[in-house]
């Protein structure tokens, strides 16, 4: 018997393997980065006072890949249909390409336009290989008649897929403004996608999500405030594209009226934050890439929340949104999970307000403890 006959065991193995391997590999990446001088140097615009390695994405990608390789070696993907096999390999290849784009920016400070062109090009190739938003089952029918299915023309399918892949990638990238924020939100979103994928009988997408969640957890061991390493654009691009692509090959594959909402709901916080920031910049005549402090985490810091409380509060909202997705997917024990998520959210909000006058992390409220006022290269 192989893991293919036990999806839950395969998911657990993938999660823990990716988590442990990432936690072990990230310090190696950090030591090499310091040795070779591949660091983000302190300056007058930045809060950290020592050189920080921004190549943590290498550890995330390595842990993710090795975790999946271990699951594959134990037969976790043995029963995968050929059509799904192609989608999985395309997702992995696209994620690695986005990682390379981000890594090039970390090393060579690429301007925004070349990065965006590269992202669109990779997303277009991924669409051509079958990872695409192609059909939508409309939410109405008549009597016993099946709900009508809207088949998107290829140009519209391409546009929707590229916007989805590039949009979510940059939403996660722009969320990477505080220690542990992007990794934690991505990990929670990946766990949500894992649960929803299994509920919709998409175990292959669930295994990818399990590896992603494990890699995020392993990285948080070194990235939660005070961080010892940053994931860089390579890491955030990888996480963002992987989440977007997994949601297409899993919950949103052959979209229905319900599954259409699931990835949007799980990822709605970073998407809403990115949309609000872009609209605010455009309304003032600035470029969408103009550096400022409009993001949700900036607003919470200015409201008096400490670095850690800001991050935990955003975690709490993200896990509550993920629990709503479980309800829509009719997952087992969904209302229990929603009740627990609601209790956690209320508890975090109440505790944050009560402790607002007493900073957790030694930083003054409203001041991040280690990241720059504007992220490097002005890309967020």
């Amino acid at each position: 018997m192989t893991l293919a006959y036990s999806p839950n065991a395969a998911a657990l193995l993938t999660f823990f393997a990716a988590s442990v391997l990432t936690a072990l590999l990230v310090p190696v990446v950090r030591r090499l980065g310091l040795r070779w001088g591949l660091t983000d140097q302190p300056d007058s615009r930045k809060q950290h006072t020592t050189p920080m390695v921004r190549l943590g994405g290498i550890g995330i990608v390595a842990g993710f890949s090795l975790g999946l390789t271990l699951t594959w070696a134990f037969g976790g993907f043995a029963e995968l249909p050929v059509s799904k096999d192609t989608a999985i390999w395309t997702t992995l290849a696209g994620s690695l390409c986005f990682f390379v784009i981000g890594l090039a920016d970390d090393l060579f400070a690429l301007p925004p336009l070349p990065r965006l062109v590269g992202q669109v090009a990779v997303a277009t190739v991924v669409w051509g290989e079958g990872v695409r938003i192609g059909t939508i089952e409309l939410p109405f029918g008549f009597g016993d008649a099946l709900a009508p299915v809207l088949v998107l023309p290829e140009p519209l399918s391409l546009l929707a897929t590229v916007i989805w892949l590039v949009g979510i990638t940059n939403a996660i990238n722009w969320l990477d403004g505080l220690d542990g924020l992007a990794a934690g939100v991505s990990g929670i979103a990946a766990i949500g996608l894992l649960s929803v994928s299994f509920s919709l009988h998409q175990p292959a997408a669930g295994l990818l999500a399990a590896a992603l969640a494990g890699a995020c957890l392993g990285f948080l061991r070194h990235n939660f405030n005070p961080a010892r390493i940053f994931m860089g654009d390579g890491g955030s691009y990888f996480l963002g594209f992987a989440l977007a692509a997994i949601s297409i090959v899993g919950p949103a594959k052959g979209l229905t009226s319900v599954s259409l909402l699931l990835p949007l709901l799980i990822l709605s916080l970073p998407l809403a934050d990115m949309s609000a920031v872009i609209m605010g910049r455009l309304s003032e005549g600035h470029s969408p890439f103009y550096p400022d402090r409009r993001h949700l985490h900036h607003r919470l810091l200015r409201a008096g929340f400490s670095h850690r409380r800001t991050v935990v509060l955003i975690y709490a909202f993200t896990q509550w949104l993920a629990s709503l997705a479980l309800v829509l997917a009719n997952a087992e024990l969904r209302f229990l999970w929603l009740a627990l998520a609601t209790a956690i959210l209320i508890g975090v909000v109440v505790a944050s307000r009560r402790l607002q006058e007493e900073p957790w992390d030694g930083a003054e409220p409203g001041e991040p403890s280690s990241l720059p006022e504007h992220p490097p290269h002005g890309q967020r």
Side-chain angles (χ1 to χ4, degrees):
M1 178 178 292
T2 68
L3 288 175
Y5 297 97
S6 181
N8 290 335
L12 285 173
L13 172 64
T14 306
F15 175 84
F16 284 111
S19 177
V20 171
L21 289 167
T22 303
L24 293 175
L25 289 169
V26 167
V28 177
V29 174
R30 181 176 180 271
R31 286 195 295 271
L32 292 175
L34 290 172
R35 180 183 302 174
W36 296 336
L38 302 176
T39 58
D40 184 28
Q41 297 295 326
D43 63 31
S44 58
R45 294 192 303 119
K46 302 172 184 178
Q47 298 295 327
H48 59 279
T49 57
T50 59
M52 294 289 290
V53 176
R54 296 187 67 245
L55 303 177
I58 296 174
I60 294 174
V61 172
F64 171 87
S65 302
L66 291 173
L68 283 178
T69 300
L70 184 62
T71 301
W72 175 81
F74 281 94
F77 292 92
E79 302 298 317
L80 197 62
V82 175
S83 59
K84 185 64 71 174
D85 182 71
T86 302
I88 295 301
W89 282 110
T90 301
T91 297
L92 294 175
S95 300
L96 290 176
C97 288
F98 266 70
F99 165 71
V100 170
I101 294 172
L103 183 63
D105 182 41
D106 292 327
L107 295 175
F108 306 111
L110 301 178
L113 186 57
R115 281 181 280 136
L116 183 60
V117 170
Q119 292 173 12
V120 171
V122 173
T124 301
V125 172
V126 167
W127 173 87
E129 293 298 318
V131 177
R132 61 175 64 184
I133 299 172
T135 61
I136 301 175
E137 181 183 313
L138 300 177
F140 51 80
F142 300 95
D144 295 330
L146 295 176
V149 175
L150 175 64
V151 179
L152 299 179
E154 287 209 344
L156 187 56
S157 171
L158 174 61
L159 179 63
T161 303
V162 169
I163 290 175
W164 180 258
L165 295 174
V166 174
I168 290 180
T169 297
N170 285 284
I172 297 299
N173 176 246
W174 287 10
L175 195 67
D176 186 25
L178 295 179
D179 296 350
L181 184 56
V185 169
S186 297
I188 294 169
I191 291 173
L193 287 175
L194 164 63
S195 302
V196 169
S197 295
F198 272 39
S199 297
L200 298 177
H201 309 292
Q202 299 283 353
L207 291 179
L208 294 183
L212 201 67
C216 289
L217 177 62
F219 184 68
L220 275 176
R221 170 70 178 81
H222 309 282
N223 183 242
F224 196 73
N225 179 260
R228 293 184 291 277
I229 188 172
F230 299 156
M231 70 170 62
D233 285 348
S236 61
Y237 281 10
F238 175 81
L239 292 178
F241 180 88
L243 287 171
I246 290 169
S247 71
I248 291 180
V249 301
K253 183 65 174 177
L255 290 173
T256 67
S257 56
V258 173
S259 63
L260 174 65
L261 299 175
L262 300 179
L264 283 172
L265 190 57
I266 294 171
L267 298 166
S268 59
L269 191 61
L271 287 172
D273 181 55
M274 181 183 70
S275 300
V277 168
I278 289 176
M279 293 302 295
R281 291 172 180 173
L282 291 177
S283 67
E284 294 184 356
H286 296 305
S287 162
F289 302 101
Y290 178 78
D292 56 28
R293 296 177 65 84
R294 294 177 180 270
H295 290 288
L296 174 62
H297 50 272
H298 292 143
R299 298 176 187 274
L300 290 173
L301 289 169
R302 287 197 296 271
F305 291 93
S306 69
H307 187 128
R308 288 189 178 183
R309 273 187 234 121
T310 295
V311 171
V312 171
L313 188 59
I314 295 175
Y315 286 177
F317 273 104
T318 303
Q319 60 90 35
W320 184 75
L321 292 169
S323 71
L324 287 182
L326 294 182
V327 173
L328 285 178
N330 290 319
E332 293 185 13
L333 303 176
R334 55 193 177 277
F335 291 110
L336 173 61
W337 294 123
L338 178 61
L340 290 174
T342 301
I344 291 172
L345 176 60
I346 293 173
V348 169
V349 171
V350 171
S352 296
R353 295 304 302 179
R354 286 180 176 176
L355 297 173
Q356 194 168 351
E357 301 301 324
E358 302 174 13
W360 286 7
D361 50 7
E364 290 299 320
E367 289 296 331
S369 60
S370 62
L371 289 200
E373 178 179 357
H374 301 313
H377 321 322
Q379 72 270 30
R380 299 180 184 85

